[in-house]
Amino acid sequence: MVDHESGKGLAVITGASTGIGYELAKCAARDGYDLIIAADEDRIDQAAAKLREFGTMIDAVEADLSTLEGVDRLVERITASGRSVDLLMANAGRGLGKGFLDQDFAEAGKVVGTNITGTIYLIHQIGNQMRSRGEGRILLTGSIAGFMPGSYQAVYNATKAFINSFSFALREELKDSGVTVSCLMPGATETEFFKRAGLLDTAIGQLKKDDAGEVARIGYDAMMDGEGDVVSGWKNKLQAAVANVTPASVLAQQHAKMAEPGSGAK
């Protein structure tokens, strides 16, 4: 693997058009990595244009990462580069507010497709290549939301519980392979997530949130140091610790107060 402090390697970042993903891409570009970045919107090209200011090669892929076909498109672009992936940051994620029975099921399915199916399919593809080489770093963006039942975000929180769990399991499986797996578990972060998820009228949507750049740097550094997991921010660390000793029924009730539609106006 190319050393993170000297020379260029290749980093792949999903969900990199905005928010934490874009900030993760900045971290890697600043370190001298060439990038292949992906998202399901054309703003990925605007992100690529800004990232080229760091002077490294930036390739942008617009693909629906909730589908196997979309992930295949990204993998094909990686293969066409003729290069090995040194850093894989599987950050693409989608949220959805409202009660589960009130959600459009196709939209709920896209949350599962993006957060789980597309994510683990990409890791299966690239992770096998890394294991064959005996080197590589993988960062998954989980969430402290995965520690609690997400009333009015039921599908989203469940997908993040999956990612949190999956990352620990995969890390153990690869512990002697030369491939490290890290999981970034942020709390509410200042991104477009809450707008896209329809959560702006909720209490959690109106709370002051963490800075995406700071969250990304914490996750990036944890990945480069080979740490297994990192919860960004002391408030989030406390919330995660409390969640571990609080009954699930109580957590679900507390989450409802924060995420119920209209709760931001109460």
Side-chain angles (χ1 to χ4, degrees):
M1 185 191 300
V2 178
D3 188 86
H4 131 78
E5 294 181 352
S6 61
K8 292 181 180 179
L10 179 64
V12 173
I13 306 98
T14 64
S17 55
T18 60
I20 295 173
Y22 174 71
E23 296 296 336
L24 286 169
K26 280 174 61 177
C27 289
R30 191 179 290 119
D31 266 2
Y33 283 91
D34 292 329
L35 309 182
I36 297 178
I37 58 174
D40 64 355
E41 58 181 358
D42 57 14
R43 283 198 292 176
I44 194 66
D45 293 315
Q46 299 170 29
K50 291 188 288 185
L51 289 165
R52 290 189 182 102
E53 296 173 2
F54 291 96
T56 65
M57 183 281 292
I58 313 292
D59 189 12
V61 181
E62 183 181 349
D64 184 353
L65 299 175
S66 71
T67 67
L68 301 189
E69 294 78 12
V71 175
D72 281 337
R73 183 177 179 186
L74 171 57
V75 173
E76 286 168 7
R77 187 72 67 87
I78 295 168
T79 302
S81 75
R83 300 177 63 181
S84 299
V85 178
D86 297 287
L87 311 178
L88 173 60
M89 290 172 261
N91 170 79
R94 181 178 293 271
L96 191 63
K98 299 183 180 179
F100 172 66
L101 297 182
D102 298 319
Q103 293 172 346
D104 179 275
F105 191 75
E107 287 299 311
K110 197 156 188 175
V111 173
V112 175
T114 303
N115 298 7
I116 296 180
T117 309
T119 295
I120 65 171
Y121 181 50
L122 176 62
I123 291 172
H124 193 267
Q125 300 288 302
I126 304 304
N128 265 296
Q129 297 173 18
M130 288 180 169
R131 185 176 62 175
S132 295
R133 298 197 325 270
E135 57 185 7
R137 300 182 189 277
I138 299 171
L139 176 70
L140 294 91
T141 301
S143 174
I144 65 166
F147 293 125
M148 60 198 78
S151 307
Y152 300 103
Q153 280 183 276
V155 174
Y156 172 76
N157 283 38
T159 64
K160 289 303 181 178
F162 178 99
I163 291 298
N164 292 353
S165 173
F166 174 79
S167 67
F168 280 104
L170 183 62
R171 177 179 176 83
E172 176 64 21
E173 292 176 4
L174 295 175
K175 66 180 180 181
D176 298 319
S177 69
V179 181
T180 62
V181 180
S182 306
C183 186
L184 171 61
M185 294 180 278
T189 305
E190 196 59 60
T191 68
E192 295 188 12
F193 171 87
F194 294 91
K195 178 181 179 181
R196 291 172 174 171
L199 290 164
L200 291 182
D201 67 337
T202 67
I204 194 170
Q206 295 180 15
L207 281 177
K208 178 175 173 57
K209 301 173 183 62
D210 296 331
D211 176 72
E214 182 178 352
V215 169
R217 170 53 67 179
I218 290 170
Y220 182 81
D221 288 347
M223 172 186 65
M224 298 309 297
D225 291 339
E227 296 178 20
D229 64 293
V230 58
V231 177
S232 58
W234 70 267
K235 289 182 180 179
N236 297 325
K237 293 179 191 294
L238 177 61
Q239 188 173 353
V242 170
N244 282 328
V245 296
T246 304
S249 59
V250 175
L251 291 172
Q253 186 177 42
Q254 291 173 346
H255 198 283
K257 294 177 181 178
M258 298 298 294
E260 185 179 4
S263 58
K266 291 182 180 178

